[in-house]
Amino acid sequence: MRERAALATPQAPREDLRPAALRVEGVSKRYGRVLAVDNVSLTIAEGEFFTLLGPSGSGKTTLLRLIAGFERPDSGRIELGGKDVTAVPPYARATNTVFQDYALFPHMSVAANIEYGLKVRHLAREDRRRRVAEGLTLVRLVGLGHRQPSQLSGGQRQRVALARAIVNQPEVLLLDEPLGALDLKLRQEMQIELKRIQRELGITFIYVTHDQDEALTMSDRVAVLAGGRIEQLGSPVDLYERPTNEFVAGFIGVSNVIDRDGRRLVVRPERIRLLDPGETPGPGTHLEDGTVQDVIYAGMVTRYAVQLDRGGRLLVVEQNRESAAGADDLRGRKVRLAWRPDQAFDISAPQAERSEQ
Amino acid sequence: MTVGALARGRKGGRVGRIQALLWRRPWMRAALLLGPGLAWFVVIYLASLVLLLITAFWQINPFTTAIERVWNLDNFRTLVTDGTYRLIILRTIGLAAAVTITDAVLAFPFAYYMARVASRRVQTALFAAVLLPLWASYLARVYAWILILNHDGVLNWSLLQLRLPPANLGYTNWAMWIVFSYIWLPFMIIPTYAALERIPQSYLEAAADLGARQGRTTWDVILPLALPGIVAGSIFTFSLTLGDYVTPLLVGGAGSSFIGNVVYSNVGIAHNIPFAAALAVVPVGVMALYLLGARRLGAFEAM
């Protein structure tokens, strides 16, 4: 098996000098008539925080389950640490999963839950104790080992699920929307926490989410999925600043798309300025006239929906550097919008190469 | 108040007023819902149980067989000291336990297949297969077993065809064990199935993810979580066997009497109702202990 994998490797061009923790090659999975994962290929480097981002039904969870081994692909192959694991059952894979519903065993204490994987793998009692203690420390739950999962809050359960997976020192940690059930504040705390843990341990994280903010703030690289295919793969900056198609432009950030001169352009709302009445724009600035339809005050920023005279509708976001009291005045007024031409991205190019990475 | 006002406003009339009244006075709603059932239980069941308990402390005049209301513990003393009764009590409890264990062992893989492996269609078919026998008369099913286990029944005929020695199971404790296990099996399968079906798939995936193979997952995760359902089922199999007297009468041998048979003969033949009552207290007491144990194992949440 190992030799065959080694033979197959040279065919694929290497783009990263770090060894690949995971390689997915042409993997497809069909459920009845639905093609959940459609010929997906990707390579994830060791120690990378990699996110699969997409709306529900995009195939991101199925892809994660294929990597964990809960599902078998209809075609393609999956390599973990250079070994072909396509036919290896989940209990023999060097991956561990943090489940969306945590899946803590309700009849075991927190410590017993964390210990379970070590026990199954027949580690000595002393090692198990030590690693459980380390795990509890890592997720900041020291002293709660004797509790039952039912006695914990949602955020604490989430941490137990994380510790239970991590103490096994997996080559790749799979996280299936782990923060989905938490409220916003807790979610933001846990995002920082997860990032810290990932940095400390240097484990490869594959993170599934539908939340673009989460994906952008935490990941080294993100694959945007839709309809079982990768729409774009790149760093958060790539995806936000240089979306290659309308789906990515709309899914990450706000769908601010207009047609001008036979081209389809994306302009991020914070890159557009509302010109003051007497202001003269700098040279080379792109200008548009329009009417403010809606003003939405959101504390830190105010959003303006502007109907353009030349057709199309754009959302503009302005920082409220000063008190926004009275900003409502703009509703129904004529305004001028301005942006630098290099801030508008042309996405009218054919999408043939969308699953290329 | 708003809801009550709304209900009045929408429905109006007498129905609306009654509904509003029930909404304002929750105890009335409880009384209305529980009343008929509770009355039935209190009058028919609890009252007769209390009577039973009282009668157990009386005695009969050995010559006239008239009940003498003299308080004493003679009946219970006889139960404990007389070897025959002790044997019958132990046989009844022992067989009830054996039947319960047998059914648990048979039901678990069956229920597991139903709950977690079978497709919807197969599941429905298996449900029908489990429940259909309950539509047939209990007596008919016991008689069917007599035809199978008899000296010249189906079982011995089959053994003969296979050139094996005959098994004379008819009218033995073995026969009772087989028949009871068969008859009460559905009562074990259904609660076990319900408990197994409620285990989230992610628990099993988590166990596999942490390195456990199927066998290990079954032992560490599935079995403990299904245990309340199995215990719930055992309440049925154990108590139904404990209280039965028809099967021992029909398929049991000469030395196969159950508590129920002795109670029956004391009521009908010996006319010693106080002693029958004392004997009947035994399974009630055993069941009370059993239920206490079952509650600690979480069986009531599983039902």
Side-chain angles (χ1 to χ4, degrees):
Chain A
M1 288 293 242
R2 190 184 279 270
E3 273 157 295
R4 268 182 53 198
L7 280 175
T9 313
Q11 294 170 354
R14 289 235 164 192
E15 52 187 11
D16 198 319
L17 290 177
R18 283 185 290 183
L22 174 81
R23 192 184 284 279
V24 173
E25 283 174 23
V27 162
S28 294
K29 177 71 185 176
R30 183 181 284 281
Y31 294 110
R33 290 191 156 179
V34 183
L35 195 55
V37 173
D38 182 5
N39 192 23
V40 165
S41 300
L42 45 84
T43 305
I44 297 170
E46 240 169 50
E48 197 174 6
F49 197 122
F50 191 93
T51 297
L52 300 170
L53 173 68
S56 60
S58 61
K60 56 190 190 305
T61 294
T62 306
L63 186 53
L64 195 81
R65 292 174 59 79
L66 287 163
I67 297 168
F70 302 136
E71 312 280 347
R72 286 198 60 176
D74 298 328
S75 59
R77 52 186 259 135
I78 297 168
E79 257 176 45
L80 268 172
K83 276 179 286 182
D84 183 355
V85 295
T86 316
V88 173
Y91 56 77
R93 290 194 189 192
T95 57
N96 282 111
T97 307
V98 178
F99 291 83
Q100 189 171 13
D101 64 349
Y102 314 143
L104 298 179
F105 304 128
H107 58 296
M108 296 183 194
S109 70
V110 166
N113 263 286
I114 297 174
E115 192 185 5
Y116 187 72
L118 308 172
K119 216 167 164 179
V120 169
R121 297 203 162 95
H122 302 294
L123 257 78
R125 178 186 287 262
E126 281 312 304
D127 291 339
R128 291 194 324 241
R129 285 240 180 90
R130 186 176 46 76
R131 286 225 223 156
V132 169
E134 283 169 7
L136 283 169
T137 312
L138 188 73
V139 298
R140 303 179 200 266
L141 285 179
V142 176
L144 296 187
H146 61 279
R147 295 258 188 105
Q148 293 299 119
S150 58
Q151 296 171 302
L152 300 182
S153 70
Q156 289 171 326
R157 280 181 214 181
Q158 213 286 317
R159 287 156 188 264
V160 177
L162 188 63
R164 182 177 69 173
I166 277 176
V167 292
N168 301 292
Q169 302 173 343
E171 284 174 24
V172 176
L173 185 73
L174 308 171
L175 302 103
D176 185 7
E177 307 215 18
L179 309 182
L182 306 181
D183 61 56
L184 182 65
K185 210 166 160 51
L186 205 52
R187 199 155 67 219
Q188 288 168 343
E189 274 174 38
M190 280 308 293
Q191 286 174 11
I192 296 166
E193 194 85 340
L194 277 173
K195 204 55 197 158
R196 170 184 70 86
I197 289 169
Q198 197 255 343
R199 255 198 317 270
E200 274 178 29
L201 300 178
I203 298 178
T204 311
F205 273 37
I206 301 180
Y207 191 96
V208 162
T209 184
H210 62 262
D211 183 332
Q212 41 136 335
D213 286 333
E214 217 164 85
L216 292 185
T217 43
M218 301 172 78
S219 323
D220 296 323
R221 284 196 301 157
V222 180
V224 182
L225 277 91
R229 316 190 85 226
I230 295 179
E231 291 287 336
Q232 189 175 350
L233 193 155
S235 69
V237 174
D238 283 340
L239 296 180
Y240 191 76
E241 306 277 343
R242 289 177 289 280
T244 54
N245 60 62
E246 190 164 347
F247 178 81
V248 175
F251 193 71
I252 298 182
V254 176
S255 178
N256 247 359
V257 182
I258 52 169
D259 290 300
R260 287 292 176 269
D261 313 323
R263 295 189 307 162
R264 257 177 114 58
L265 300 175
V266 180
V267 201
R268 294 301 183 193
E270 74 279 9
R271 308 286 160 83
I272 307 172
R273 287 204 323 111
L274 281 176
L275 294 183
D276 295 327
E279 190 180 349
T280 40
T285 311
H286 184 95
L287 285 175
E288 290 276 346
D289 291 306
T291 311
V292 176
Q293 285 184 319
D294 225 337
V295 180
I296 304 141
Y297 173 72
M300 205 191 294
V301 296
T302 302
R303 298 193 183 92
Y304 303 89
V306 180
Q307 182 67 46
L308 302 179
D309 294 351
R310 290 172 67 193
R313 198 164 174 268
L314 284 178
L315 201 69
V316 181
V317 173
E318 294 239 301
Q319 289 269 338
N320 291 325
R321 292 216 175 75
E322 288 164 41
S323 169
D328 244 341
D329 291 350
L330 275 180
R331 200 181 304 242
R333 297 263 287 274
K334 289 295 241 178
V335 287
R336 276 203 298 168
L337 308 184
W339 63 79
R340 295 211 322 265
D342 63 337
Q343 297 293 0
F345 298 99
D346 187 355
I347 52 166
S348 46
Q351 300 191 358
E353 88 285 37
R354 64 176 179 174
S355 64
E356 278 313 304
Q357 307 96 43
Chain B
M1 280 313 273
T2 354
V3 177
L6 271 176
R8 265 200 306 279
R10 243 198 338 254
K11 294 245 177 174
R14 207 163 15 189
V15 178
R17 272 202 304 280
I18 292 172
Q19 278 186 351
L21 182 70
L22 288 179
W23 183 80
R24 280 197 304 272
R25 309 233 189 289
W27 64 267
M28 276 181 126
R29 192 164 39 179
L32 211 64
L33 290 171
L34 297 177
L38 267 183
W40 184 268
F41 268 114
V42 169
V43 173
I44 314 271
Y45 192 73
L46 281 183
S48 47
L49 256 185
V50 170
L51 272 180
L52 181 84
L53 202 63
I54 292 171
T55 317
F57 292 98
W58 292 341
Q59 61 183 40
I60 57 163
N61 184 316
F63 300 108
T64 61
T65 71
I67 293 176
E68 294 176 341
R69 296 178 180 182
V70 184
W71 297 93
N72 64 82
L73 288 170
D74 283 358
N75 293 325
F76 291 101
R77 202 168 292 130
T78 314
L79 284 182
V80 180
T81 50
D82 190 320
T84 317
Y85 294 121
R86 221 167 43 214
L87 181 68
I88 287 169
I89 289 169
L90 288 179
R91 176 191 297 138
T92 310
I93 295 172
L95 206 69
V99 167
T100 297
I101 292 166
T102 310
D103 278 348
V105 170
L106 291 176
F108 184 79
F110 193 94
Y112 181 85
Y113 184 84
M114 269 173 82
R116 308 214 67 101
V117 183
S119 65
R120 275 268 159 239
R121 187 180 291 182
V122 174
Q123 207 174 45
T124 312
L126 288 176
F127 250 116
V130 170
L131 295 177
L132 221 65
L134 298 180
W135 293 8
S137 150
Y138 170 92
L139 274 180
R141 286 183 293 147
V142 176
Y143 272 115
W145 273 103
I146 295 177
L147 293 181
I148 295 171
L149 297 175
N150 249 351
H151 179 65
D152 46 4
V154 179
L155 177 67
N156 277 349
W157 180 84
S158 305
L159 289 173
L160 193 70
Q161 299 304 308
L162 296 167
R163 297 184 197 291
L164 290 168
N168 288 314
L169 293 177
Y171 310 110
T172 61
N173 286 343
W174 290 108
M176 287 204 293
W177 173 64
I178 291 170
V179 173
F180 273 133
S181 297
Y182 158 76
I183 284 181
W184 307 138
L185 186 59
F187 296 93
M188 182 64 92
I189 290 178
I190 299 302
T192 307
Y193 162 84
L196 285 169
E197 216 215 0
R198 267 190 286 180
I199 301 174
Q201 181 65 23
S202 64
Y203 290 2
L204 312 189
E205 285 174 357
D209 188 71
L210 293 166
R213 288 157 192 265
Q214 181 64 53
R216 186 81 201 242
T217 304
T218 305
W219 186 254
D220 288 345
V221 179
I222 300 176
L223 209 56
L225 293 178
L227 191 65
I230 297 170
V231 175
S234 80
I235 293 172
F236 295 123
T237 57
F238 190 77
S239 68
L240 288 169
T241 311
L242 209 61
D244 199 276
Y245 65 98
V246 176
T247 296
L249 200 67
L250 295 180
V251 303
S256 294
S257 283
F258 261 36
I259 294 173
N261 300 102
V262 183
V263 171
Y264 180 79
S265 61
N266 268 292
V267 172
I269 301 157
H271 256 291
N272 190 344
I273 288 177
F275 185 70
L279 199 54
V281 165
V282 174
V284 173
V286 171
M287 253 349 270
L289 289 177
Y290 196 91
L291 289 175
L292 278 176
R295 196 181 64 175
R296 296 193 60 175
L297 289 169
F300 297 113
E301 285 86 47
M303 290 202 287

